[in-house]
Each structure stands twice: as structure tokens, then as C-alpha cells.
Amino acid sequence: MASKSAKTAQDILMADFQALVRDTEKLLADTANLAGDQADELREQIHERLVQARETLQLTQDSVRQRGQAALGGAEQYVQDNPWQAIGIAAGVGLLIGLLAKR
């Protein structure tokens, strides 16, 4: 459940960041008809920052994915090594959720 909510949060963050990049690219395209050296310099700076942002986003996405897979693998290994403890923990969590839901 926690990994599902983390994945959902990650997906929302990625979608928001990609929307930001798309909006910035659109702004860059809309300023294409501006003239002058300053406008050209501004467009170049925006383009460079977009490239950097995309690279950072890709690195962050890869890092988060690797950590998530490592955490999932660790949890699966724990459950395989300690099945009765995992069942006890799951039962305890279920009991707490049931008590909270009953209120």
C-alpha cells in the first residue's frame, strides 16, 4: 500500500514536472518571433535550462525507481524469511485499521 501511494505521488510529480517543461517549451516557441540579441540570448538560456531540467528529471526518476525496487525486494525477502512474523504484522495492522474504521 505504501509503495502504491509512493508510486502515485511519484507519477504526479513526474506529470507536473513534464507539464512545466512542456509549458516552458511552448513559451520558448512563442518568443521565437521576438527580435534582437537579448531575445536570442534569453531563448538560448531557457533552452539550456530545459535540457538540464530534463537530465535532472531522468536521473531522479532512475534513482527513485532503483530505490523503490530495492525496498520492494527487501520487503519480499523479509516476508520469505519470516512468514509468520509478516502474517502477525499484517494482522496487527489490519486490527488497528479495523478499530480506527469502527470509530
Side-chain angles (χ1 to χ4, degrees):
M1 183 171 159
S3 66
K4 186 175 181 180
S5 64
K7 174 122 176 85
T8 303
Q10 177 187 356
D11 291 342
I12 291 170
L13 177 63
M14 298 298 288
D16 288 347
F17 192 76
Q18 289 171 349
L20 174 65
V21 170
R22 279 193 307 273
D23 291 346
T24 306
E25 286 176 334
K26 184 179 182 308
L27 177 64
L28 185 61
D30 290 345
T31 61
N33 53 356
L34 291 178
D37 292 336
Q38 288 180 339
D40 291 339
E41 185 178 328
L42 178 62
R43 281 193 294 274
E44 182 61 31
Q45 288 176 355
I46 291 172
H47 179 70
E48 287 174 10
R49 294 224 167 89
L50 274 174
V51 169
Q52 290 174 351
R54 281 187 176 167
E55 290 172 357
T56 302
L57 177 62
Q58 187 62 42
L59 292 173
T60 303
Q61 182 179 3
D62 293 343
S63 173
V64 168
R65 182 174 289 128
Q66 288 174 354
R67 287 186 298 190
Q69 289 174 346
L72 183 59
E76 287 177 355
Q77 186 64 39
Y78 178 82
V79 170
Q80 289 177 1
D81 292 344
N82 306 298
W84 291 109
Q85 289 177 348
I87 291 171
I89 291 169
V93 170
L95 178 65
L96 287 174
I97 291 173
L99 290 173
L100 292 173
K102 188 176 181 179
R103 288 184 180 185

